[in-house]
Amino acid sequence: MAAVVLAATRLLRGSRAWGRPRLRRFSGGGAGARVPLSRPLPGAPTPVFATVDGQEEFETRVTTLENGLRVASQNKFGQFCTVGILINSGSRYEAKYLSGIAHFLEKLAFSSTSRFDSRDEILLTLEKHGGICDCQTSRDTTMYAVSADSKGLDTVVGLLADVVLHPRLTDEEIEMARMAIQFELEDLNMRPDPEPLLTEMIHEAAYRENTVGLHRFCPTENIAKIDREMLHSYLRNYYSPERMVLAGVGVEHGHLVECARKHLLGTQPAWGSPAAVAVDRSVAQYTGGVVKLERDMSNVSLGPAPFPELTHIMIGLESCSFLEGDFIPFAVLNMMMGGGGSFSAGGPGKGMFTRLYLNVLNRHHWMYNATAYHHSYEDTGLLCIHASADPRQVREMVEIITKEFISMAGTVDVVELERAKTQLMSMLMMNLESRPVIFEDVGRQVLATRSRKLPHELCALIRNVKSEDIRRVASKMLRRKPAVAALGDLADLPSYEHIQAALSSRDGRLPRTYRLFR
């Protein structure tokens, strides 16, 4: 028995047998076993590593065609590519039209064209190359995009050109778009998450009846009024080559330019002349103001159990455009404020150490949400805080938010600033690992500036942000009138004048009100 135990002990400890060290079965011999990991193994081939050839700063290539259309591309190795057309159009350009045209065009995208008789035929063509398609509109940009096998690039660009420049816009398709928009508006008003509706309201309050303050969603009263003639009138002005960018990720630039010349140069669009005649070049005018929507939120629910009745408030102040140097400090400030819902889990990456968590949600258990948002456009920007609470505590909630706005211009802790900058860089780099996100970044930057800042350039700008920059941009922002959006039971909502006074004070407190009768 003792002999068996001794043998097992030697086996487990790798003991020496016959006075010599035991070598592992797969080792390279006695000499190899003694080579430290910091040195290459003797006899092993020399590894070859990828190197940067000095062309990294030029990896996003841009070519402008004779008709003014820009072609932008970036290499990303792999079997698939993302290609699309981005257009400088959207709801901000609808001042001379009925609101909702851009919303209609989004629903009508990838419908029948001069070459394809139906949406199904378009989808079947894309399926041959493993492709999917999508169209999205915002206040200032319309984007048609396709992800497919890179070998089908010519087919994809030809399809995109046909979808953008030669849509049929039949009566049946327009009627289907009306139904889709009607359903979306009903869903917008019924969904428990009020953020999309509040975003619409805060823009309406901040830019009263101009540019980015115009309705992004088609108003109910305009659904039946928008027809093919009106859509063609809008397309004639805003779907012109000089307002477009053909962007591609995962494609060879020369091939993309060749396809663009073949399908997008010298093409006569379905609406006739390709020359724009009445383009709205209005600059956004920040007005400030308040938009209120009284609504019973007591029966909002995703299931049989109702949500707590909440009142939602969003307060915003003008920041800056994404073309200005202060855009990066504002982005860091927005990340530093952070926030989220009261029911969240995670660590620093989930925003748990941002100001709106530490100063608001962790200290005031009755608040259900406190989140910062930053919307930025080519001529303006808007920094907002959205908060939700029981209707009986609306006044206290508003005062907490105004105090947070005032504290932005105060002392900035070095640790929280570095954390916010690191989190912003991390978010930037992680998002840019996705091919569709790279495509959108390339397209939007080239559409706005005719060039693209690469991630390492943006990270360098983020690292250079100092606490003085945060205080400076916050102080400048606080000198503007606020924009306020309110949704729910608003009986205890402070007046706009009181909110403005709180944001002009030193401590952010609302003026005291006294009631003779309670």
Side-chain angles (χ1 to χ4, degrees), residues 34-56:
R34 290 191 294 271
V35 175
L37 295 177
S38 58
R39 297 179 188 173
L41 289 172
T46 304
V48 179
F49 298 102
T51 57
V52 178
D53 59 4
Q55 297 298 313
E56 183 184 7

Side-chain angles (χ1 to χ4, degrees), residues 82 131 168 199 221 234 253 317 335-336 377 405 420 433 477:
T82 299
R168 285 184 179 172
T199 301
E221 63 272 15
Y234 180 87
H253 186 74
L317 292 166
M335 190 61 65
M336 192 170 71
Y377 306 96
F405 269 110
E433 289 181 2
M477 178 179 67

Side-chain angles (χ1 to χ4, degrees), residues 1 6 26 43 91 94 106 128 146 151 157 174 192 272 279 283 286 330 335 371 398 400 422 441 453 475 502:
M1 182 66 181
L6 181 61
F26 299 107
S91 58
E94 295 176 355
E106 179 185 50
K128 294 176 184 177
V146 171
K151 295 177 182 177
V157 175
I174 292 175
V279 175
V283 176
Y286 181 84
F330 269 115
M335 190 61 65
T371 310
V398 170
I400 289 168
T422 302
D441 181 54
K453 278 190 171 70
S475 300

Side-chain angles (χ1 to χ4, degrees), residues 10 184 238 398 434:
R10 286 178 175 176
E184 188 172 347
Y238 294 102
V398 170
S434 168

